[in-house]
Amino acid sequence: MKNKTLNSAIFILVSYLCFSQDVSLYSQFNGRYNYTAIGNTLNPIENSFFAGNCSMLSSSSANLNLLPSQNVIAAYLYWAGSGQGDFEIDLNGTPLTADRTFLTTFTGGRFFFSAFKDVTSIVQAQGNGNYTFSGLDISAYLTNA
């Protein structure tokens, strides 16, 4: 019994000392739902220090193709990159600003960001078709260092 108590005490202490982020439920959908995910990348080549010069495409597209019996309940756009963040982008030429933003700093002063936008009304209005993401500018952070 003494060993179990000691192990529990060590686990609680280690858990208390670990750094973590707050996690909370954003949306909840009850019932029988399925989901469709579409997306693409702005990376023309693999992210790697060995791949040569860092570069990125100016836009990227993906096609949404739902069946007539499928309805859009919610649609979310996520993007991320190096640097302190570009939170204003375009989706099909419509300027959008992130609803939620996240920034992580690693040792050595390196920053990485991510962003989120609820695009439900846009996807419900447009429906099936081509969605083009553009306007992300992280060129100041594209180095081989």
Side-chain angles (χ1 to χ4, degrees):
M1 182 68 174
K2 183 178 179 182
N3 242 1
K4 285 186 178 181
T5 304
L6 181 59
N7 287 342
S8 296
I10 291 172
F11 175 73
I12 291 170
L13 179 62
V14 170
S15 297
Y16 179 74
L17 296 176
C18 292
F19 296 101
S20 64
Q21 63 279 351
D22 292 329
V23 177
S24 62
L25 179 65
Y26 182 76
S27 296
Q28 180 172 328
F29 303 97
N30 297 319
R32 292 178 167 232
Y33 289 91
N34 200 347
Y35 75 94
T36 298
I38 64 169
N40 207 341
T41 181
L42 293 171
N43 295 342
I45 57 175
E46 177 184 351
N47 289 335
S48 170
F49 290 111
F50 307 108
N53 291 330
C54 293
S55 63
M56 65 181 268
L57 303 172
S58 60
S59 68
S60 185
S61 297
N63 285 309
L64 178 64
N65 190 18
L66 298 176
L67 298 173
S69 60
Q70 295 175 305
N71 298 317
V72 175
I73 305 299
Y76 304 126
L77 177 64
Y78 295 89
W79 67 96
S82 300
Q84 295 189 10
D86 184 355
F87 304 112
E88 296 179 1
I89 53 87
D90 295 333
L91 182 63
N92 288 356
T94 301
L96 300 176
T97 301
D99 294 333
R100 300 173 72 194
T101 62
F102 307 92
L103 183 63
T104 301
T105 307
F106 289 100
T107 56
R110 292 180 177 244
F111 296 96
F112 300 93
F113 75 94
S114 59
F116 163 90
K117 178 69 178 172
D118 185 332
V119 294
T120 303
S121 60
I122 295 170
V123 175
Q124 286 174 332
Q126 179 174 331
N128 285 340
N130 190 46
Y131 288 84
T132 301
F133 176 93
S134 61
L136 179 66
D137 183 11
I138 59 168
S139 57
Y141 302 98
L142 297 179
T143 66
N144 289 329

